[in-house]
Amino acid sequence: MPIKPFVIAIFTTILTACSSAGYYSGFEDIDPDGWAYGDTISFTTDSCISSGMIIALRHNDSYPYKNIWIEISDSAHIDSVNIELCDIYGRWYGKGIGASYQIAAPVPFDITPNTRLNIRHILRVDTVKGIEQIGLIPQY
């Protein structure tokens, strides 16, 4: 019966195929001692990437500034993103549990599948404390 392997192959392809929403996501931990100016966080996207992606940043109460400037680049683009973390009274914008918060900002350019994406902070300090993770998630 040659039809059975054919049906299994089609079913497997459907289950593993990418949807139009693009479900790629990933987070990288930042060193608890701080995020040094020269440390670049890299993501290699897969074939399921969608064009609308978001930089997600997780921080805690020890982050000392109101915002953070992020540089994001791939082989064809380089841009900077200013992520506002709190209001003028020091109240965090992000959502979270306890002393950990997550906030997001859109990637300023379209990301193509199978691309290496580099992210680094571009603040005027050597090491930034209070950033826990940085990630790349789909925009819904």
Side-chain angles (χ1 to χ4, degrees):
M1 299 251 143
I3 292 180
K4 190 173 183 178
F6 179 71
V7 171
I8 291 172
I10 288 177
F11 186 69
T12 303
T13 302
I14 290 170
L15 287 177
T16 59
C18 298
S19 73
S20 61
Y23 291 107
Y24 173 86
S25 67
F27 276 87
E28 291 292 327
D29 292 330
I30 304 296
D31 188 332
D33 292 332
W35 188 6
Y37 183 78
D39 289 348
T40 300
I41 308 298
S42 296
F43 298 93
T44 302
T45 62
D46 59 20
S47 60
C48 292
I49 195 83
S50 70
S51 60
M53 297 298 288
I54 293 175
I55 301 166
L57 186 118
R58 293 179 181 156
H59 67 93
N60 58 42
D61 283 334
S62 69
Y63 185 75
Y65 307 109
K66 179 182 180 223
N67 64 337
I68 186 167
W69 281 92
I70 301 290
E71 179 185 88
I72 183 166
S73 63
D74 64 12
S75 61
H77 308 90
I78 187 167
D79 210 336
S80 57
V81 177
N82 180 23
I83 302 175
E84 294 284 331
L85 300 176
C86 69
D87 63 17
I88 60 173
Y89 302 106
R91 291 183 294 235
W92 300 114
Y93 288 133
K95 305 241 186 271
I97 297 172
S100 187
Y101 304 90
Q102 179 173 315
I103 195 160
V107 173
F109 52 82
D110 287 340
I111 299 171
T112 56
N114 303 311
T115 299
R116 184 180 173 105
L117 195 68
N118 300 305
I119 300 174
R120 68 184 185 107
H121 82 81
I122 51 174
L123 297 175
R124 294 181 181 168
V125 295
D126 183 51
T127 303
V128 176
K129 296 197 183 277
I131 302 296
E132 299 172 340
Q133 291 182 321
I134 192 146
L136 190 64
I137 59 175
Q139 182 174 0
Y140 294 108

